[in-house]
Amino acid sequence: YELPVYVTSKPELIDYIFQFTSQLEAWLVEKSIQKVVVVIVDAATKEPMERWQFNIECDKAADDNTQISEKPLKTIQWEMKEMVRQIFSTVTILPHLEENCSFNIFAYTDVEADTPLAWEGGDDDKIVNSQKVKLKSLSTLIHKVDMAVSYKVT
């Protein structure tokens, strides 16, 4: 999308992200994903610092014959670019994280959705004393994604 992105050379992280995005793609096709949450935590204390939430609504009645969208592909791609740009621009509103951080990814699916056995269950961490900012949305006839970020107020 002609936007700068950070990349990693750590094979374990590349594998982790690949496994997650591959499973996410399957859930999107199955229309069984409800929400994805990425929590940025202080690596030393495990305290949540940022919480990125992507609510995903899927049209369960859609099938292979359903038109993906009344919107032209260019419009959907533009909306996706705008979402990515907005994520990058949050650097102006989010507090600078001085501590070393790690992240956790949580996926919320329908009960009957297939989940890899090696994946752990758990609840994503809520941030105490937080501020929430609603960000842009994306919509097709099959999927709608709403996005928000919560961050620790210092």
Side-chain angles (χ1 to χ4, degrees), residues 14-88:
I14 292 168
D15 186 52
Y16 175 77
I17 292 171
F18 176 78
Q19 285 182 36
F20 179 77
T21 55
S22 296
Q23 183 61 57
L24 178 60
E25 181 179 7
W27 286 326
L28 285 167
V29 169
E30 296 165 2
K31 296 177 283 304
S32 60
I33 186 77
Q34 298 171 4
K35 176 170 52 172
V36 173
V37 178
V38 179
V39 181
I40 310 296
V41 298
D42 181 310
T45 66
K46 305 299 183 208
E47 179 182 14
M49 307 302 284
E50 292 178 11
R51 184 178 184 275
W52 293 82
Q53 182 168 318
F54 303 86
N55 294 325
I56 304 166
E57 293 177 29
C58 301
D59 179 359
K60 303 282 187 180
D63 59 21
D64 291 339
N65 298 322
T66 303
Q67 181 179 348
I68 292 175
S69 179
E70 295 171 354
K71 294 179 189 177
L73 180 60
K74 255 188 164 26
T75 302
I76 294 170
Q77 289 172 330
W78 182 84
E79 288 179 4
M80 292 173 80
K81 286 180 185 179
E82 287 300 303
M83 287 180 83
V84 172
R85 281 190 186 110
Q86 191 171 31
I87 290 170
F88 281 117

Side-chain angles (χ1 to χ4, degrees), residues 97-153:
L97 299 176
E98 305 253 344
E99 48 279 302
N100 288 328
C101 294
S102 63
F103 66 93
N104 296 312
I105 301 175
F106 299 90
Y108 294 79
T109 63
D110 295 345
V111 173
E112 64 276 0
D114 289 330
T115 305
L117 292 176
W119 289 16
E120 297 177 17
D123 293 322
D124 64 279
D125 300 318
K126 304 291 190 260
I127 301 175
V128 178
N129 193 25
S130 68
Q131 182 77 31
K132 185 175 184 176
V133 178
K134 185 170 176 0
L135 304 171
K136 291 190 181 285
S137 297
L138 168 71
S139 181
T140 69
L141 285 180
I142 298 176
H143 300 101
K144 179 180 180 205
V145 180
D146 290 317
M147 178 171 68
V149 61
S150 300
Y151 59 94
K152 182 177 176 75
V153 177

Side-chain angles (χ1 to χ4, degrees), residues 88-99:
F88 281 117
S89 71
T90 59
V91 71
T92 61
I93 60 169
L94 296 176
H96 178 71
L97 299 176
E98 305 253 344
E99 48 279 302

